[in-house]
Amino acid sequence: MEYLILVDGTDSQIGTEEKVTCHLPNGKLHRAFTIFLFNKEGQLLLTQRSMSKMLWPGDWDGTVASHPRQSENYISSAERRLPEELGVTCKLDYLYKFEYHVPYKNIGSENEICGTLIGTLDDPSKIKLVEDEISDIRWVTLEQILSEIEKTPQIFCPWMLVALYFLPESNHNISDGHKKILKMWNRNDLKSKLEASLKYHFPDHKWEIKKE
């Protein structure tokens, strides 16, 4: 059984709980992370969740989303998880974290404080999908993904939309290469382009950035 880190609203650990229990409809606030992996041209790698997933099966996500283990921080847990899902390794930078709570039908929910990481993949040809985690991948530009999100918000994971929304709030203590990518993606209209899709997933606006 896999146990997740339970946290309070300040992201301080208050215990652990079995993974499925954390994702029941009421949910339990736990620590998670999401990774945005880019290529050298500034395209974002999207991944399609396996149909075997309990929540949001078959939907499109950022590159990787998972949970830290005990003794891991956001960066170390994300760098550990990348090869487990995509068969590649990459140096990551931490950008920010946000809290959100969203149900999935009558099956379960996500109730997380989610750290967001950025990385650049030098050689995309080395990607190897891991069975039962990711069913497909594709690279997109900012214009492509914003157009798709506007037309079909229902096929995208809600936490990915929140993570994209907060890109302008990113920590600036990161590599120059990652700063360059963020400059490409931090368009003035980024937040306004995402607001309608966020309302689709979060009619009660249960998401916020966590100040540090």
Side-chain angles (χ1 to χ4, degrees), residues 61-75:
D61 196 358
T63 311
V64 170
S66 191
H67 308 90
R69 295 172 179 168
Q70 292 280 5
S71 79
E72 290 182 330
N73 59 34
Y74 285 114
I75 293 177

Side-chain angles (χ1 to χ4, degrees), residues 10 12 15-16 18 31 47 59 67 71 76 114 119 129 137 159 166 169 180 189 198 211:
T10 68
S12 297
T16 61
E18 195 275 326
R31 191 173 293 158
T47 58
D59 286 3
H67 308 90
S71 79
S76 64
C114 187
L129 303 188
I137 62 172
W159 57 87
F166 286 129
E169 315 296 327
K180 182 179 179 180
D189 62 346
L198 282 164
K211 298 298 183 181

Side-chain angles (χ1 to χ4, degrees), residues 5-207:
I5 299 172
L6 300 180
V7 294
D8 62 17
T10 68
D11 198 22
S12 297
Q13 182 172 347
I14 58 174
T16 61
E17 183 57 86
E18 195 275 326
K19 181 178 179 180
V20 172
T21 302
C22 290
H23 292 98
L24 293 177
N26 289 333
K28 290 191 176 184
L29 186 63
H30 58 276
R31 191 173 293 158
F33 63 81
T34 189
I35 305 170
F36 286 145
L37 202 59
F38 295 85
N39 61 21
K40 292 179 180 180
E41 290 73 40
Q43 294 175 309
L44 172 63
L45 179 61
L46 298 185
T47 58
Q48 187 176 33
R49 289 168 63 82
S50 167
M51 291 304 297
S52 65
K53 294 285 188 181
M54 171 183 167
L55 305 176
W56 288 274
D59 286 3
W60 287 93
D61 196 358
T63 311
V64 170
S66 191
H67 308 90
R69 295 172 179 168
Q70 292 280 5
S71 79
E72 290 182 330
N73 59 34
Y74 285 114
I75 293 177
S76 64
S77 60
E79 290 181 345
R80 181 259 308 162
R81 188 61 180 165
L82 260 181
E84 295 176 355
E85 294 205 16
L86 286 174
V88 295
T89 59
C90 182
K91 174 65 178 174
L92 302 175
D93 278 328
Y94 172 84
L95 298 180
Y96 48 83
K97 58 187 174 183
F98 58 91
E99 181 178 345
Y100 73 102
H101 188 192
V102 58
Y104 178 72
K105 301 180 179 179
N106 62 346
I107 298 173
S109 72
E110 285 289 6
N111 189 7
E112 298 181 333
I113 290 183
C114 187
T116 305
L117 297 304
I118 185 175
T120 306
L121 190 59
D122 293 329
D123 187 0
S125 68
K126 294 183 178 180
I127 292 175
K128 183 180 180 181
L129 303 188
V130 177
E131 188 177 356
D132 295 329
E133 293 294 342
I134 295 170
S135 59
D136 200 2
I137 62 172
R138 57 194 176 104
W139 296 92
V140 294
T141 64
L142 176 58
E143 290 74 18
Q144 287 172 327
I145 193 171
L146 288 180
S147 175
E148 290 184 29
I149 289 171
E150 184 178 17
K151 294 175 183 176
T152 55
Q154 69 275 12
I155 70 170
F156 293 94
C157 296
W159 57 87
M160 186 196 76
L161 304 183
V162 179
L164 284 174
Y165 184 87
F166 286 129
L167 279 179
E169 315 296 327
S170 294
N171 168 37
H172 292 291
N173 186 25
I174 58 177
S175 72
D176 289 341
H178 291 156
K179 288 179 182 177
K180 182 179 179 180
I181 290 172
L182 287 180
K183 187 175 181 180
M184 295 170 59
W185 279 69
N186 285 341
R187 282 189 358 188
N188 291 333
D189 62 346
L190 175 65
K191 288 188 172 183
S192 62
K193 289 281 188 181
L194 291 168
E195 284 173 358
S197 60
L198 282 164
K199 288 179 182 178
Y200 171 86
H201 287 285
F202 298 93
D204 298 329
H205 195 90
K206 291 185 177 179
W207 51 276

